Amino acid sequence: MRSLDEFARGKLAALERAKLRRTPTVTAREGIYAERGGRRLLSFSCNDYLNLSQHPAIIKAAVEAAKRYGVGAGASRLVTGNHPLYDELEARLARLKGTEAACVFGSGYLANIGIIPALAGPGDLVLADELSHACIHAGAKLSGATVQRYRHRDVADAQALLAKHRAGYSRALIATDGVFSMDGDLAPLEELSQLAQRYDAWLLADDAHGLGVVGGGRGSSFASGRAEVPLQMGTLSKAAGAYGGYLCASRAVIDLMRTRARPFIYSTGLPPPVVAAAIAALDLIEREPDYVAEPLRKARLFTRALNLPEAQSAIVPVIVGDTEAALAAAQMLEDEGFLVVPIRPPTVPAGTARLRFAFTAQHPEAEIERLAGVVRSRVLGRQA
Ligand SMILES: *Cc1c(COP(=O)(O)O)cnc(C)c1O
């Protein structure tokens, strides 16, 4: 179809002009190293915070599950795609998060676009932190509920919205990242949980970057104070090194998800090796608190070296501003042997293009210091 290709080419050309066209460029990954353009670079752009995706014990668990159960699930879990490993994984997740039950989805993205529409619809209100992950906004939109975004981490703004609008709606949900994926800061979950209780709203925290990193590995709801978070979702694709999304909640909510969340019903179950890998990863996260503390410790070495606000998670942003400056800074770091993928709109708001540094347990301290030195002299120095 000529018009179809013309449409695609036109879109791509516009993105190219705005320096927003994106393509995968890394060709291989080995531990903390990534290969690009034939060069081996030390990567600070991987969410494998505990380096578990290539951990021998976890690979072994996956291989054994593949031999025993096969590589694919064959159908949705409600049809024939279920297998005993799922029960074990869900029981472990519930235990780690201190909830009655848990439910595993195909991915974190699928979890949020399933959970939110299963709980809210037309006539309901969804409040979301403006910097929440794209899949929270997608889930909120898909639900058909009225969506209001409150200013980033601004509990007073969220309260003002509830005071103004809550009475006009039947149910209300507050959704936020627990650890913000592009900023690395934590949501004020304790205050948000109090606010939610006051206005009879349900609080959902997306712990994609919290599990295995903050709160002793249990995640953002355990990172500070006493947050009552009845909907703790997250992913097994980051610190757990595997794949799949989850929700930890009460037995009633989980039973509802299993029968109403559309990505749970209409998408094939996770491959058994992936489920086995996630179980092995949670095992390690529960057993090795010292190792779990490493990504945050490494991130803090970096923020201390640069006099930046102390890292709250494994993610540290250095905001550069415009897209071209972020691309140039990333290229400079690449020349120094570091892979730091620049993050630009629409992933982050216009004018806040940045370098996003993700620290993992196995990054050598000497290399973190060298990285900090280069960033100090050639990225921050230039801004001053
Ligand atoms: C990565 C991420 C997701 C998506 O998880 P996947 O399992 O990769 O689909 C959801 N929420 C947040 C905050 C994330 O960073």
Side-chain angles (χ1 to χ4, degrees), residues 47 49 106-112 132-136 176-182 206-209 233-238 243-245 315 356:
N47 302 320
Y49 302 117
S107 73
Y109 198 105
L110 288 173
N112 272 334
S132 294
H133 192 266
C135 61
I136 287 186
T176 179
D177 288 16
V179 174
F180 287 88
S181 55
M182 296 300 138
D206 177 337
D207 207 29
H209 299 276
M233 71 73 60
T235 179
L236 300 160
S237 67
K238 286 162 184 162
Y243 201 64
I315 302 161
R356 173 188 181 274

Side-chain angles (χ1 to χ4, degrees), residues 50 212 216 284-297 361:
L50 297 172
L284 195 142
I285 288 169
E286 282 188 316
R287 255 194 354 249
E288 311 252 3
D290 293 345
Y291 188 66
V292 162
E294 282 296 284
L296 186 56
R297 191 179 73 79

